[in-house]
Amino acid sequence: MLQFKLVMSIETNDIKVISFDVEGTMVTTGFSAAIWFEMIPQRYARRYGLDFDEATKRIRQEYDSVGDRQLEWYDVQYWFTRFDLGRADIAMEELQDRVIYYPETKEVLNRLARDYKLSVASGSPRPFLKHLLRDIEHHFSDVFSSTSDFKQVKTADFYKHICRRMGVEPRQIVHVGDNRQFDFLEPAGAGICAFHLDREGKSNDPASLRDLAQLADLLNGR
Ligand SMILES: [Mg+2]
């Protein structure tokens, strides 16, 4: 019943753009985790003559001392400079093979690209997006990073901004992502038709999607 209602609400709208979150939605979080919790502690351990566990402990304390409300927290070069580890961009290139797309991602993008403009609305900073989107970037007409472009997390205001930038009304966009707050409640607050992607089935909400293929089925079935 709920799925039926969703399809009907999509049908009555004039959907032009499908907007995607990146990490946890199209790409696993493995690349970022490898940067923050493997590469940085490894280099820190080498630089200061510590073992990996001690380096990890110190680095976590350092991360916590800044906290995720400060923009520096998201800035990988800030940490490389703070720890005297050299250039982050070169180090990140070494981990390119840790970028893993979910199994259905590329097929879904191919399917949806036939009927819609596709865009990215991510909280990941641009230096990460450069790697995370490398194989799929050609599908997207616009890529927005809330932290790099707007210095904020993904709020309803951020979503209103990106609608204006793309020259579409919020009701003409469908957004999908795995964070209930930033990918569902905030875009919905901006008037966007949003879908929460719950890959692990943790949410009780029957409107949550289990993978991106379900979204493509809903949209192609209009
Ligand atoms: Mg995400």
Side-chain angles (χ1 to χ4, degrees):
M1 184 60 195
L2 195 55
Q3 292 271 321
F4 175 72
K5 264 164 56 188
L6 289 171
V7 174
M8 291 307 288
S9 71
I10 289 172
E11 268 183 341
T12 54
N13 283 330
D14 179 19
I15 300 296
K16 299 254 187 288
V17 179
I18 317 297
S19 161
F20 294 83
D21 172 53
V22 177
E23 295 188 63
T25 299
M26 296 189 288
V27 188
T28 73
T29 55
F31 176 77
S32 290
I35 303 281
W36 297 114
F37 300 112
E38 288 178 38
M39 173 168 276
I40 292 180
Q42 272 162 9
R43 290 181 179 227
Y44 188 94
R46 228 180 296 145
R47 173 76 181 78
Y48 299 101
L50 301 168
D51 66 29
F52 181 80
D53 289 344
E54 181 60 26
T56 300
K57 202 173 114 196
R58 287 198 195 178
I59 276 171
R60 282 184 187 268
Q61 282 168 357
E62 297 267 4
Y63 291 162
D64 290 346
S65 76
V66 171
D68 63 4
R69 285 164 181 265
Q70 311 244 39
L71 283 167
E72 288 85 1
W73 192 81
Y74 301 88
D75 179 351
V76 70
Q77 184 58 57
Y78 166 81
W79 294 105
F80 269 64
T81 304
R82 178 166 165 150
F83 300 149
D84 192 22
L85 302 178
R87 275 180 58 180
D89 57 344
I90 295 172
M92 289 169 88
E93 193 64 47
E94 287 174 26
L95 289 180
Q96 182 64 38
D97 65 356
R98 301 289 288 274
V99 174
I100 310 288
Y101 298 98
Y102 289 104
E104 80 282 15
T105 296
K106 289 181 182 177
E107 193 201 325
V108 164
L109 294 176
N110 277 323
R111 270 174 77 183
L112 291 176
R114 290 183 215 134
D115 296 319
Y116 304 96
K117 261 173 79 168
L118 308 184
S119 67
V120 166
S122 173
S124 307
R126 286 204 175 266
F128 283 83
L129 293 177
K130 177 183 156 193
H131 296 279
L132 295 169
L133 297 177
R134 188 165 286 175
D135 288 0
I136 54 175
E137 201 161 14
H138 58 282
H139 286 295
F140 303 108
S141 46
D142 295 280
V143 174
F144 300 101
S145 159
S146 68
T147 44
S148 294
D149 304 345
F150 299 93
K151 310 295 177 212
Q152 59 174 254
V153 293
K154 293 193 287 188
T155 60
D157 267 351
F158 162 76
Y159 285 101
K160 287 178 192 163
H161 273 302
I162 70 171
C163 290
R164 281 198 289 273
R165 289 269 192 102
M166 293 192 285
V168 291
E169 298 292 325
R171 63 179 172 75
Q172 296 176 305
I173 300 194
V174 166
H175 177 79
V176 64
D178 68 308
N179 185 295
R180 198 168 165 78
Q181 182 69 35
F182 298 139
D183 295 306
F184 181 67
L185 297 175
E186 298 291 343
I192 287 172
C193 174
F195 289 92
H196 178 226
L197 177 64
D198 177 24
R199 289 189 176 277
E200 283 156 26
K202 283 187 195 153
S203 155
N204 293 323
D205 185 348
S208 292
L209 303 175
R210 292 301 296 272
D211 61 33
L212 294 173
Q214 283 190 339
L215 179 70
D217 290 343
L218 278 174
L219 292 166
N220 279 354
R222 68 180 181 151

